[in-house]
Amino acid sequence: MRIVQKEEAVMLLKQGDLVVLPTETVYGLAADGLNTDAVKKIFTAKGRPFGNPLILHVSSLEMLERLVKDISIQSKILMQLFWPGPLTLVFNRSELVPDIVTAGLDTVCVRMPKQDSTLAIIEALGKPLAAPSANKSGRPSPTNLADLEKEMPEIAVIDGGQTELGIESTVVDAREKDVKILRLGSLEVEKIEAALDEKVILIEKDSRAKSPGQNFKHYSPNAEVILIWPWETFGEKVSNENGSRYTTVEEAIADLYDRFKCGIICDSSRETLYLGYDVLPLGIGSIEHAKNLFATLHKAEDLAWEKIIVDMSKIYSKEALGPTVVERLKRSAE
Ligand code: AMP
Ligand code: MG
């Protein structure tokens, strides 16, 4: 891994090369977003399907205005409140945006990251950066340099330490009156609804024609992830939500522990339930769960666990980042 400083990063990006940059969500694999050949290198390095469009990262509203055709009132409200930050918005694209970025769609996704060093690099380049997560396609995103080393060892990187939030941005289509969430992320849906003073529509997977990349395989470590759902939460039955073959952690342990290298991921308050077993605690509360999730999946893989048993009690939650964490875990278990 080669750590570089800002000046070199800008030079590499100018000449059409890739650089890994920290953001407040996860590390991004960045290229000059207006250079088709440079953007092509992102798809090659990640092994990413060309049908999965990229997000452009801007450092100013002037830069945004060059990339898009019109900006709705709703989008303006959200940008004013949440940029820079983990909010990606869908816009009708201008001619400036290369087809490769949008996978041929007539819309483009844009966000302004909240990371001073990355904003300064975009500013110095004078162009938006295309920057998906810096992992091989389908794998958990890197949130620290050790995990990044596993994914993109050969790409120059700006060291930003551990990323602040740990999960990608929330993707929102606010072009029309009915605002839609195309992908859950690090900005809570409640905050978006409070800002707009209206309910938003959550677009489910499989019907995500507007957010095409959502149907590709995602966030999966090199181990089987098995989610064990709580029987009841908030008086609501959620057990076996995604058809897991076990209904309790004990049942999974009894069946798997002797035959496979196994471990348990759980909310930190439940760690003592599993004394004597290999456990990776996820922290307490959805903000900590989000921050630690991908790093913990990477750690489980580093420990050569073949089966990752996730105790969803206290992780399954409808509050704050609970839905986002649950969505990422479900995808990693698919
Ligand atoms: P990531 O893979 O985390 O970089 O996020 C990129 C995701 O943003 C894609 O997988 C899509 O879900 C979404 N996205 C990017 N561009 C568009 C677009 N033009 N319209 C809808 N969703 C998009
Ligand atoms: Mg990604």
Side-chain angles (χ1 to χ4, degrees):
M1 163 169 304
R2 197 165 70 81
I3 293 176
V4 297
Q5 302 305 313
K6 178 190 155 194
E7 293 68 29
E8 188 176 353
V10 174
M11 192 197 74
L12 289 166
L13 291 164
K14 268 191 182 146
Q15 69 191 36
D17 284 328
L18 304 179
V19 180
V20 174
L21 299 176
T23 78
E24 80 279 32
T25 60
V26 303
Y27 274 86
L29 180 61
D32 173 348
L34 301 186
N35 176 339
T36 296
D37 290 333
V39 174
K40 209 175 269 173
K41 290 180 187 170
I42 293 180
F43 286 91
T44 308
K46 282 180 63 85
R48 182 176 174 111
F50 282 103
N52 190 355
L54 302 177
I55 294 169
L56 289 181
H57 295 66
V58 298
S59 57
S60 67
L61 294 184
E62 292 72 50
M63 192 178 281
L64 168 76
E65 280 161 9
R66 283 186 271 141
L67 305 172
V68 306
K69 276 207 178 120
D70 32 50
I71 305 178
S72 68
I73 300 284
Q74 312 276 66
S75 299
K76 281 187 185 150
I77 293 171
L78 294 176
M79 275 158 36
Q80 205 157 27
L81 279 170
F82 301 120
W83 277 13
L87 166 73
T88 294
L89 287 165
V90 180
F91 299 95
N92 296 324
R93 62 183 269 203
S94 76
E95 284 69 36
L96 202 61
V97 180
D99 283 339
I100 188 167
V101 168
T102 67
L105 298 172
D106 50 15
T107 54
V108 62
C109 272
V110 185
R111 90 171 184 106
M112 189 186 287
K114 192 177 172 187
Q115 180 97 22
D116 289 343
S117 62
T118 296
L119 287 172
I121 287 170
I122 301 172
E123 187 70 28
L125 184 70
K127 293 206 261 173
L129 292 175
S133 53
N135 49 274
K136 291 269 168 14
S137 192
R139 305 230 335 117
S141 311
T143 57
N144 58 59
L145 287 191
D147 296 344
L148 177 65
E149 171 93 71
K150 290 164 61 186
E151 302 294 326
M152 296 285 158
E154 68 288 352
I155 313 265
V157 55
I158 296 273
D159 184 358
Q162 190 195 337
T163 62
E164 185 193 334
L165 302 174
I167 284 187
E168 295 81 356
S169 60
T170 304
V171 179
V172 180
D173 185 348
R175 289 176 300 158
E176 279 158 29
K177 187 86 194 68
D178 293 329
V179 173
K180 302 176 193 76
I181 307 290
L182 303 186
R183 176 181 74 181
L184 293 172
S186 277
L187 179 63
E188 295 93 326
V189 171
E190 299 106 81
K191 286 194 183 161
I192 295 170
E193 291 182 331
L196 298 174
D197 197 21
E198 63 177 77
K199 287 274 168 207
V200 297
I201 302 162
L202 197 60
I203 305 292
E204 298 293 330
K205 195 184 162 225
D206 297 330
S207 62
R208 285 180 179 166
K210 290 236 164 49
S211 201
Q214 291 308 300
N215 291 330
F216 292 109
K217 182 179 164 67
H218 249 113
Y219 319 117
S220 303
N222 192 12
E224 187 188 5
V225 178
I226 299 167
L227 308 184
I228 311 293
W229 298 91
W231 275 100
E232 252 176 62
T233 311
F234 322 120
E236 186 191 342
K237 288 226 180 308
V238 291
S239 99
N240 231 5
E241 199 172 309
N242 73 338
S244 159
R245 56 192 187 279
Y246 307 108
T247 47
T248 63
V249 173
E250 292 68 24
E251 210 178 293
I253 289 174
D255 186 40
L256 298 169
Y257 227 84
D258 294 339
R259 297 185 292 136
F260 299 97
K261 187 150 172 54
C262 297
I264 300 155
I265 290 178
C266 61
D267 179 86
S268 296
S269 68
R270 293 176 63 83
E271 203 179 348
T272 50
L273 292 175
Y274 306 117
L275 290 176
Y277 296 105
D278 287 344
V279 177
L280 290 173
L282 207 52
I284 292 186
S286 68
I287 309 288
E288 284 185 23
H289 297 159
K291 181 167 185 155
N292 297 327
L293 178 64
F294 289 137
T296 305
L297 292 175
H298 271 281
K299 219 177 282 170
E301 188 179 84
D302 296 343
L303 292 168
W305 291 6
E306 296 165 279
K307 308 280 178 191
I308 302 174
I309 300 167
V310 186
D311 173 3
M312 296 296 282
S313 292
K314 296 254 167 95
I315 294 175
Y316 179 87
S317 152
K318 299 215 159 155
E319 308 264 292
L321 291 180
T324 299
V325 171
V326 168
E327 191 264 355
R328 294 300 191 273
L329 275 165
K330 276 182 166 183
R331 303 289 306 277
S332 76
E334 277 170 4

